[in-house]
């Protein structure tokens, strides 16, 4: 590389974090998300501990697990998550730019709750994915596509939709495609057969990065055909439990280096940032923080172990 060419390389940093439930179930009592919100009365409180990461990247994406609605019509199920539509501001002030709604809590308040959620996100300027709803962002001249699907009995529907959407995105000149999935088994640290099958299918069909959620704990990352599959990011800003037993999480960052003269991606790298879902070790205060010291080392080692199990070859 000649010295005069140096200025043409640029980078894009994308950050991904896990399950964010802004609100909770109406039967929750005590130290609930809503109670903490009332006390702090500040939407910027929740992501304050990770602002050094989210503010300085180019795009932050999380799984929004629940609804933003005041609808009292609720589905018949064990846990039904909702928060006030104004909570969309928590994401905006937290420097979160995109969410996936393709999860098992999006319809907790039926279609009305879903529509309220989309309206709240739109008014806060936050992009979303949900099966047919996908989006493309032009970041520094590079087009990045975001897709969102569910596993379980949605597998064949998700797969055929992915093929169609990837093809359409490539036709529109998208340079890098990310597929987000909600899948797997609750509290399992290992991906199941379906997760592996769907992830490989996505990459075989043109996806560049796979990000997963749902198990509420970390699952490792597999490198398949040179592309990363992050099977589960665990919880993040999670109103679904006032004191989860496993409070470990990570922020996954994907760093894309591109040649701005050629408008082409030269390489992709990644960074794992160990984090905790709460800044209070004894209970969930819904304020994720970057892990430091011994905790950082412990979470890094735990994650490396989970990855090693997936990359035996």
């Amino acid at each position: 590389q000649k010295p005069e060419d140096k200025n043409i390389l640029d980078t894009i940093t994308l950050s991904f974090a896990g399950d964010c439930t802004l609100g909770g179930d109406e039967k929750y009592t005590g130290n609930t998300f809503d109670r903490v919100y009332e006390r702090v009365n500040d939407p910027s409180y929740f992501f304050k501990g990770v602002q050094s990461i989210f503010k300085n990247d180019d795009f932050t994406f999380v799984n929004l697990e629940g609804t933003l609605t005041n609808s009292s019509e609720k589905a018949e199920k064990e846990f039904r998550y909702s928060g006030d539509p104004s909570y969309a501001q928590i994401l905006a002030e937290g420097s979160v730019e995109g969410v996936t709604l393709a999860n098992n809590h999006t319809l907790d308040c039926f279609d009305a709750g879903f529509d309220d959620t989309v309206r709240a996100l739109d008014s806060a300027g936050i992009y979303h994915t949900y099966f047919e709803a996908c989006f493309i962002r032009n970041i520094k001249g590079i087009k990045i596509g975001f897709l969102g699907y569910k596993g379980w009995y949605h597998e064949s529907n998700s797969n055929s939709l992915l093929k169609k959407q990837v093809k359409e995105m490539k036709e529109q000149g998208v340079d890098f495609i990310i597929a987000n999935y909600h899948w797997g088994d609750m509290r399992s640290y290992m991906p199941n057969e379906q997760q592996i099958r769907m992830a490989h299918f996505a990459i075989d069909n043109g996806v560049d990065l796979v990000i997963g959620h749902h198990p509420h704990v970390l699952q490792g990352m597999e490198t398949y055909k040179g592309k990363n599959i992050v099977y589960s990011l665990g919880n993040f800003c999670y109103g679904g439990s006032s004191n989860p037993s496993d409070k470990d999480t990570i922020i996954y960052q994907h760093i894309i280096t591109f040649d701005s003269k050629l408008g082409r991606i030269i390489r992709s790298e990644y960074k794992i940032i160990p984090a905790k879902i709460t800044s209070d070790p004894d209970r969930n205060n819904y304020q994720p923080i970057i892990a430091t010291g011994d905790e950082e080392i412990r979470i890094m080692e735990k994650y490396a172990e989970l990855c090693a199990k997936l990359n035996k070859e």
Side-chain angles (χ1 to χ4, degrees):
Q1 197 182 10
K2 301 197 290 292
E4 65 267 27
D5 288 346
K6 276 211 171 105
N7 63 341
I8 60 174
L9 290 186
D10 206 347
T11 62
I12 293 167
T13 301
L14 309 170
S15 303
F16 299 89
D19 303 328
C20 293
T21 299
L22 309 179
D25 186 294
E26 78 272 19
K27 61 180 179 284
Y28 287 174
T29 56
N31 172 50
T32 64
F33 186 95
D34 295 316
R35 185 100 16 112
V36 170
Y37 188 90
E38 276 166 35
R39 196 175 65 240
V40 298
N41 196 23
D42 174 10
S44 75
Y45 158 87
F46 298 92
F47 289 106
K48 203 169 268 172
V50 291
Q51 276 310 280
S52 59
I53 307 294
F54 291 179
K55 242 197 177 80
N56 296 312
D57 63 14
D58 295 293
F59 201 86
T60 306
F61 191 97
V62 303
N63 170 44
L64 181 62
E65 183 104 359
T67 59
L68 299 174
T69 180
N70 291 315
S71 170
S72 54
E73 295 278 303
K74 293 186 197 292
E76 287 293 319
K77 51 192 289 202
E78 193 185 358
F79 297 109
R80 300 155 325 167
Y81 296 148
S82 62
D84 193 90
S86 66
Y87 287 2
Q89 255 339 95
I90 294 170
L91 298 168
E93 298 214 15
S95 305
V96 174
E97 287 91 10
V99 301
T100 180
L101 297 178
N103 60 58
N104 55 313
H105 286 285
T106 291
L107 297 173
D108 281 2
C109 299
F110 303 114
D111 287 346
F114 181 82
D115 294 342
D116 288 345
T117 305
V118 170
R119 242 191 315 275
L121 292 169
D122 286 349
S123 66
I126 289 155
Y127 298 88
H128 76 275
T129 64
Y130 180 78
F131 291 105
E132 282 81 5
C134 55
F135 65 89
I136 297 165
R137 296 298 297 131
N138 188 324
I139 302 174
K140 298 180 184 175
I142 295 290
K143 284 186 177 175
I144 300 180
F146 293 82
L147 308 167
Y149 310 105
K150 282 195 260 192
W152 309 302
Y153 61 88
H154 301 276
E155 181 174 0
S156 62
N157 174 25
S158 289
N159 281 355
S160 55
L161 189 55
L162 175 130
K163 276 183 94 157
K164 176 178 168 279
Q165 290 177 320
V166 168
K167 186 174 171 286
E168 287 166 0
M169 281 190 173
K170 299 251 189 216
E171 283 164 4
Q172 292 173 62
V174 172
D175 302 283
F176 193 88
I177 299 176
I178 299 141
N180 291 272
Y181 284 96
H182 211 72
W183 55 9
D185 305 314
M186 289 283 255
R187 284 176 280 286
S188 167
Y189 292 90
M190 286 296 282
N192 63 27
E193 281 172 22
Q194 185 191 53
Q195 287 172 273
I196 294 166
R197 197 167 58 236
M198 290 181 78
H200 290 188
F201 179 89
I203 286 170
D204 289 341
N205 285 280
V207 165
D208 298 294
L209 172 65
V210 172
I211 301 281
H213 317 93
H214 173 68
H216 297 298
V217 292
L218 290 169
Q219 291 180 349
M221 179 177 82
E222 178 191 11
T223 303
Y224 172 74
K225 295 188 176 175
K227 309 279 174 77
N228 288 350
I229 301 163
V230 182
Y231 281 106
S232 171
L233 284 169
N235 288 327
F236 201 62
C237 181
Y238 185 61
S241 168
S242 61
N243 197 14
S245 56
D246 187 336
K247 300 179 178 67
D248 300 340
T249 189
I250 61 165
I251 297 166
Y252 173 87
Q253 283 197 322
H254 205 83
I255 300 116
I256 296 165
T257 304
F258 65 97
D259 184 318
S260 49
K261 261 194 191 152
L262 299 174
R264 199 171 68 223
I265 294 172
I266 305 294
R267 66 172 176 268
S268 275
E269 295 155 295
Y270 71 92
K271 189 176 173 189
I272 304 295
I273 301 167
K276 304 284 291 175
I277 67 162
T278 170
S279 59
D280 179 340
D282 300 317
R283 66 175 186 173
N284 193 356
N285 65 5
Y286 315 107
Q287 188 181 57
I289 52 158
I290 307 303
T292 55
D294 290 348
E295 282 293 87
E296 178 185 9
I297 294 162
R298 183 185 62 75
I299 295 168
M300 254 332 226
E301 284 173 355
K302 171 180 176 174
Y303 195 66
E305 224 167 277
L306 292 171
C307 296
K309 288 180 181 159
L310 299 172
N311 295 283
K312 289 190 185 79
E313 287 77 49

